[in-house]
Structures are given as C-alpha cells and as structure tokens.
Amino acid sequence: MWLTRLSQGLASLGLRPKPKRPLYRPVPDGTPRRGFAEDRAAIELHDPDLMQSSPRRKGGAIWSGGSSRRLEEGEGLPFASTGPHGHRGRMREKLLERGPGALADYELLEMLLFFAFKKGDTKPLAKALINRYGSFANVLTAPQKDLLETPGLGEHSVTAIKLVQDAALRLARAEVMEKPVLNNWDRLMDYLNAALAREKIEQFRILFLDSKNRLIADEAQARGTVNHTPVYPREVIKRALELHATALILVHNHPSGDPTPSRADIEMTGEIMAAGAVLSVVVHDHLIIGNGRHLSFRREGLLQGR
C-alpha cells in the first residue's frame, strides 16, 4: 500500500521512478545461432562498434562525441573504413577492377571464406590453411574429411571450398568435351592433372571417344586403395558399347606421385585391349597421373600389339 502511495506522490511532483534496466543474460557456449556464419570463435573479430573510441552511429551517419555536427562516412578519419567490413569491400573492388590475377592465393581463399563467415577477419585462417596443406590448390583438393577436422572450418566453409573445386574441374572438362582429344592433348592433361594428381586414393577413369576421337564421356570406373584399383575388362568394353564409343583412353593415378607403371598395370591394359579388339573398340593410350608428372603407355611403347 505504501509503495502505491509513494508512486502517486512522485507522479504528482512530476517525478517517476527510473525503470529497471534489463538484465544481460549471456548466451551459453554451444547454443545454436541463426544465420549462415560459422562459429566465429575460430577467427579474430574486429568490430569497430565495440571500441569505446569509435564514433557513434545515428540514422546512418556518424556523430563524433558530444559534437552536434553531422559527419559523413569516413570524414575526418585517418582511415575511411576500418574492420573486416571495410576490408571486404576493398577486396571486392580489387577483384572487380583488376581481375582475378591481381589476388594472391591467400587472398582468393580469404574471399572464399567470406561466404561462410558473415563477420570477422578470415585472412589468418586462409594463411593457416595454406600453411597446413602446402598451397591453395592443395586446400581445394584436400579430402572433405580432413577439411572438416581442420580447426576453424565447418560444414559451410568446407562446402564453399568443395564448390570451387567442382567448378574448376567442370571448367577444365568443358575445354575438352566434344572436341578431338588427340588435337587438344595439353588441355586434356591439364584437366586430368586437376582431377587426379592430388587424389589420395587410386582411381581408374576411362575417357570414351567417338569415331572422330571426340570426348563423349569421362567416367570413374573404380576407386581402390592407395596402390590398387580393381578393373574388369569386360565391364569396360560393355560400357563403351552402351555409349557407342569406338575408342578409349585409360587413365589412373598413383597417389605416391610416381607414375611408373606396375606389372599389374601393364597386364590389365593388355587385357582391355584384347577384349576391345573383338568388338572394334580401340585403346588409344593408358595414362598414369602422378603429382606433377604423368606417363603415357603409347609414348613408352607399352601398348602391346599397337
């Protein structure tokens, strides 16, 4: 009762008790947050709004301390824009004005990570990834499992990385699809190196060609262990007939990086050639892709009967 009378008395004097300030309740660690950003604990944030010396924003403009003068964005400051947002804008301008060749490898990766991290400085993480994997290309081609186990990366960032890898492979494949492969050998090797040179597991692929030696399909037939992939000649020729292919180029990688063929590689090539000869399917070559090197059975004289 006395509290009500006190409130009425203060109201009659034109005074009102101050409202209670809302309690700050920190969000516990691990609580899911809405949005596309990764866990920002992996990167260092530089938010100018959290710095006491930063000018206050009001209605989209900047108000400096107690001054009543309205400042335009960046006016009177040594740097017109600070923090990750200003840096991201400058990076985008650099890319659009100068082209992709103007960016260093770590800058490409840094910008790629923008899609996964809505805020924060991604440069340290980009440099750490290149240090860990050895190069920008190695980051793109690193196994998904390894990337997901890398500190600082999550599903969104790994998805962005793998999206770029797939786009690069499709671009390289587009350069050789439906074109005479034997007349575009350098582009073919660029594509195969991009697709297989950094694979950690042995993979056997077949390039199916039409009667004009144009590439009509590129298919992975099998994936094996680090040093062996099972291949069945009858299945290879059966698939060639289904695609109406008249010629093949066999391709597989050696994860060790050494493209020297094994005795099993040579024998398997001979078996596929023998099975194809019965149905007029020609094996033009067998390529072994190493890390930065490759070997051609044709050039080495290893195509039996050719």
Side-chain angles (χ1 to χ4, degrees):
M1 180 69 72
W2 66 268
L3 203 62
T4 303
R5 292 179 179 177
L6 176 61
S7 298
Q8 292 173 348
L10 292 174
S12 66
L13 296 175
L15 301 174
R16 293 183 182 277
K18 294 183 179 180
K20 292 183 179 181
R21 297 181 61 185
L23 294 177
Y24 170 68
R25 300 181 184 275
V27 179
D29 291 340
T31 301
R33 301 172 185 268
R34 295 190 302 173
F36 183 64
E38 299 282 16
D39 180 5
R40 296 195 297 273
I43 57 177
E44 181 181 1
L45 296 179
H46 302 282
D47 190 345
D49 292 335
L50 298 179
M51 300 170 61
Q52 293 181 356
S53 60
S54 298
R56 299 192 304 274
R57 293 182 178 273
K58 186 175 182 182
I62 297 178
W63 292 78
S64 180
S67 172
S68 61
R69 188 170 71 87
R70 187 178 187 276
L71 299 178
E72 296 299 327
E73 183 79 27
E75 182 181 350
L77 299 176
F79 299 99
S81 179
T82 61
H85 293 293
H87 173 67
R88 293 182 178 203
R90 292 189 295 273
M91 291 290 291
R92 284 190 288 268
E93 289 177 4
K94 181 178 180 180
L95 175 65
L96 294 175
E97 291 177 3
R98 303 184 191 177
L103 299 178
D105 284 354
Y106 77 87
E107 290 177 316
L108 285 173
L109 187 54
E110 177 187 357
M111 292 194 71
L112 179 57
L113 293 172
F114 289 173
F115 294 101
F117 296 91
K118 291 182 66 176
K119 294 182 179 180
D121 183 4
T122 59
K123 184 187 298 183
L125 179 57
K127 290 183 175 181
L129 289 173
I130 291 177
N131 286 341
R132 182 186 182 98
Y133 291 100
S135 69
F136 175 69
N138 285 346
V139 174
L140 294 185
T141 58
Q144 177 178 310
K145 180 176 180 294
D146 292 353
L147 289 173
L148 287 171
E149 294 174 352
T150 301
L153 295 183
E155 289 186 356
H156 294 310
S157 48
V158 172
T159 298
I161 290 171
K162 287 303 172 184
L163 183 65
V164 171
Q165 181 194 12
D166 191 40
L169 290 177
R170 293 187 185 210
L171 179 61
R173 184 167 61 238
E175 295 292 325
V176 294
M177 284 298 294
E178 298 184 355
K179 296 179 182 178
V181 170
L182 302 182
N183 295 334
N184 292 273
W185 198 255
D186 289 341
R187 290 185 177 180
L188 174 65
M189 294 311 306
D190 288 343
Y191 164 61
L192 294 175
N193 275 304
L196 293 173
R198 295 176 177 83
E199 282 283 331
K200 303 301 182 184
I201 299 297
E202 190 166 303
Q203 181 181 145
F204 188 84
R205 305 182 73 91
I206 301 177
L207 308 182
F208 296 93
L209 312 179
D210 65 12
S211 59
K212 296 183 179 180
N213 289 323
R214 293 176 300 191
L215 182 62
I216 56 177
D218 165 28
E219 296 183 356
Q221 294 296 302
R223 291 176 64 90
T225 63
V226 294
N227 58 9
H228 175 69
T229 302
V231 179
Y232 304 99
R234 285 183 296 180
E235 294 299 320
V236 172
I237 302 305
K238 176 183 177 183
R239 183 57 179 156
L241 295 176
E242 290 173 349
L243 295 171
H244 304 287
T246 59
L248 309 173
I249 296 178
L250 312 178
V251 186
H252 81 280
N253 64 307
H254 280 180
S256 66
D258 181 3
T260 303
S262 65
R263 172 53 57 183
D265 292 335
I266 296 173
E267 291 176 353
M268 176 266 295
T269 304
E271 291 173 2
I272 294 177
M273 291 179 64
V278 176
L279 298 170
S280 300
V281 177
V282 177
V283 176
H284 280 322
D285 207 342
H286 185 169
L287 301 171
I288 301 180
I289 308 298
N291 191 357
R293 296 186 294 162
H294 70 274
L295 180 140
S296 163
F297 272 48
R298 172 180 286 278
R299 292 182 181 178
E300 297 297 324
L302 296 174
L303 287 183
Q304 301 174 15
R306 296 285 293 172

